[in-house]
Amino acid sequence: MTTTLAAPQVRVGKAAVWALGMLAAATGTLESVVTPTLPLLQRELSMSPAQGALLSITMLITGALVTPVAGNLGDRYGGKRVMLRLMTVVATGGLVSSLAPNLPVLLLGQVLEGAMVGAMPLSFILVRKHLPTGESQVAIGVVSGLFVGGGMLGTLIAGPVAEGLSRHWMFAIPTIAIVVATVLVHRLMPNDPPARSDARIDWPGLALLSGVLLTLMFVLALAPSAGSQPLVLLALLVLLALLVTGWTVVERRSPSPMVDLNLLAKPAIWSSYVITFAVCVGTSVAMYLVPQLLAVSADGYGFGASSTDIGRYLLPGAVTAAISGPLGGIAARRFGSSAVVATGIGVMTATLVALAFLHGEVWHLIVAKALIALASGVCITAMVVKTATSVDHGNTGTATSLVLVTRVIGFAAGAQVSGAFLTAGTQPGMDDPAESAFVTGFVIAGAVTALSLLVVRTLNKGVKT
């Protein structure tokens, strides 16, 4: 039987919250250094394009698997205790990546680094336990925003550091920052006692949930090429259905389930996952299509932008994404999460549909990308806040970690759908897809985002007061 202990009444100061924010920024930086330097890594490590693709998604897969486990263990044994151990794994991964002489060692480092995504629900556990509701909402926004800001910083500095010093230092510098931030969290953040008295781990549930997420990622990866290998995709879908069924049966029978299915049945919880998925699909489509549109030859409907130009054009969107976290937390505290989410979805939908008809000038894409990044970040932060405050303290990590996993799945699904549209819209012998492929992508992304408005009302049903 699971017993929930009373939450501690220990208050923390701003320094402790900023230590968590510094850790989020450092992990965000380390997470983002591979993507902009992938051509350099492929050249120096003699990697094929397929190996480069594997390197780019390794951390994503690990993060999807580790995040719900980290959140659940944080609920059971205390957020700080689990975070310190998790950051030891991440720092080890950063060290391995910085010293990697070849691709297999670098892949090992990326697998270990992927555990960093699990730090987010652990941070939410700590701020919710040690701060009043209003302050914890703002703190969640600050931590989320600094993680995004760290990703922006990593994207900007990875290339210059790798070219000016070496690829080893682009991993080493963020790793050193993670170690320093972890020490500060250890010193400034008080210990939080376990929220549950039981210490058993639901190993069958953990194994099946990992299988579900891993199989789902493979399904999304193969979906665009379903026409060439339909039997493989069908087999994966059958396997996914069997794993979901098995996981559901195991969790219902377990005395201490990895994920409490009664928790997922709450309207405020399942609706937050539906909205998060839809918003992230729309955001991912824009993230994928806008750079592709900028790169299309200027002889047609595109702009022939170089990689440097594209990076400069996307910078305003990165800035708005970084400030969206704190803004979302403040707005959720003042106006309520449901109002913030509905407004963000409205802005995103209008912008995506407008992009389908207004993309003839570079500034159209710059402004649209910035608005989508801002609205999406505000929505996701408000969803995390809503989810965290809709459950008791003993389920904060589990509930918020599933929001983050849903976010990863939504981004992966949006990217695959976008790739499929552009592939289908490219005629044989042509380098660029037809303009209609972009129009279709933006319209469908807007429609998916708009449909999530249908469940916004359910966010306030069954909320724990």
Side-chain angles (χ1 to χ4, degrees), residues 138-188:
V138 178
I140 287 173
V142 168
V143 173
S144 301
L146 287 173
F147 181 79
V148 175
M152 179 181 69
L153 178 63
T155 301
L156 293 175
I157 69 170
V161 170
E163 293 174 354
L165 298 175
S166 73
R167 62 177 171 83
H168 305 286
W169 280 104
M170 75 178 189
F171 294 108
I173 292 174
T175 301
I176 293 171
I178 286 175
V179 172
V180 172
T182 302
V183 171
L184 290 175
V185 170
H186 175 61
R187 293 181 63 88
L188 298 174

Side-chain angles (χ1 to χ4, degrees), residues 280-282 284-285 288 409-419:
C280 288
V281 168
S284 180
V285 169
Y288 186 91
I409 295 171
F411 274 112
Q416 296 302 320
V417 168
S418 302

Side-chain angles (χ1 to χ4, degrees), residues 24 35-36 40 89 97 118 124 128 143 147 164 174 196 240 264 299 353 359 375 377 406 408 428 438 464:
T35 300
L40 181 147
V89 175
S97 295
F124 303 152
R128 193 170 177 223
V143 173
F147 181 79
R196 301 178 184 178
L240 179 61
L264 299 184
D299 294 333
V353 173
H359 51 259
T406 304
V408 170
F438 290 96
K464 183 180 179 64

Side-chain angles (χ1 to χ4, degrees), residues 189-202:
M189 183 64 67
N191 293 320
D192 56 316
R196 301 178 184 178
S197 60
D198 63 278
R200 291 183 296 175
I201 297 177
D202 176 22

Side-chain angles (χ1 to χ4, degrees), residues 138-377:
V138 178
I140 287 173
V142 168
V143 173
S144 301
L146 287 173
F147 181 79
V148 175
M152 179 181 69
L153 178 63
T155 301
L156 293 175
I157 69 170
V161 170
E163 293 174 354
L165 298 175
S166 73
R167 62 177 171 83
H168 305 286
W169 280 104
M170 75 178 189
F171 294 108
I173 292 174
T175 301
I176 293 171
I178 286 175
V179 172
V180 172
T182 302
V183 171
L184 290 175
V185 170
H186 175 61
R187 293 181 63 88
L188 298 174
M189 183 64 67
N191 293 320
D192 56 316
R196 301 178 184 178
S197 60
D198 63 278
R200 291 183 296 175
I201 297 177
D202 176 22
W203 292 112
L206 171 58
L208 287 169
L209 179 60
S210 299
V212 168
L213 294 173
L214 193 59
T215 305
L216 181 58
M217 297 299 287
F218 279 123
V219 168
L220 292 174
L222 288 176
S225 58
S228 61
Q229 40 189 345
L231 293 181
V232 175
L233 182 62
L234 179 61
L236 284 174
L237 288 173
V238 171
L239 176 61
L240 179 61
L242 291 174
L243 288 170
V244 170
T245 302
W247 177 68
T248 303
V249 171
V250 167
E251 295 301 86
R252 288 190 181 280
R253 295 180 178 180
S254 174
S256 181
M258 193 73 193
V259 177
D260 186 353
L261 297 183
N262 293 323
L263 176 70
L264 299 184
K266 291 183 177 181
I269 301 302
W270 67 255
S271 60
S272 69
Y273 299 148
V274 171
I275 294 171
T276 298
F277 177 79
V279 168
C280 288
V281 168
T283 306
S284 180
V285 169
M287 288 176 61
Y288 186 91
L289 292 184
V290 168
Q292 298 288 336
L293 185 54
L294 287 168
V296 169
S297 173
D299 294 333
Y301 57 88
F303 305 96
S306 66
S307 297
T308 301
D309 291 334
I310 292 174
R312 188 171 68 251
Y313 294 150
L314 297 183
L315 184 58
V319 172
T320 59
I323 66 173
S324 66
L327 182 61
I330 294 170
R333 178 184 182 182
R334 182 167 183 178
F335 304 108
S337 295
S338 297
V340 173
V341 170
T343 302
I345 291 174
V347 171
M348 273 194 66
T349 301
T351 305
L352 286 165
V353 173
L355 263 178
F357 303 99
L358 293 174
H359 51 259
E361 302 289 340
V362 170
W363 71 266
H364 293 163
L365 302 182
I366 294 175
V367 172
K369 181 65 175 63
L371 284 174
I372 291 170
L374 178 63
S376 172

Side-chain angles (χ1 to χ4, degrees), residues 95-154:
L95 178 62
V96 170
S97 295
S98 65
L99 299 175
N102 51 45
L103 177 60
V105 178
L106 182 56
L107 282 173
L108 174 60
Q110 293 298 289
V111 168
L112 296 175
E113 286 179 29
M116 72 176 68
V117 185
M120 296 297 285
L122 298 175
S123 297
F124 303 152
I125 290 173
L126 290 172
V127 298
R128 193 170 177 223
K129 282 185 177 180
H130 296 306
L131 292 173
T133 300
E135 293 181 26
S136 67
Q137 291 175 340
V138 178
I140 287 173
V142 168
V143 173
S144 301
L146 287 173
F147 181 79
V148 175
M152 179 181 69
L153 178 63

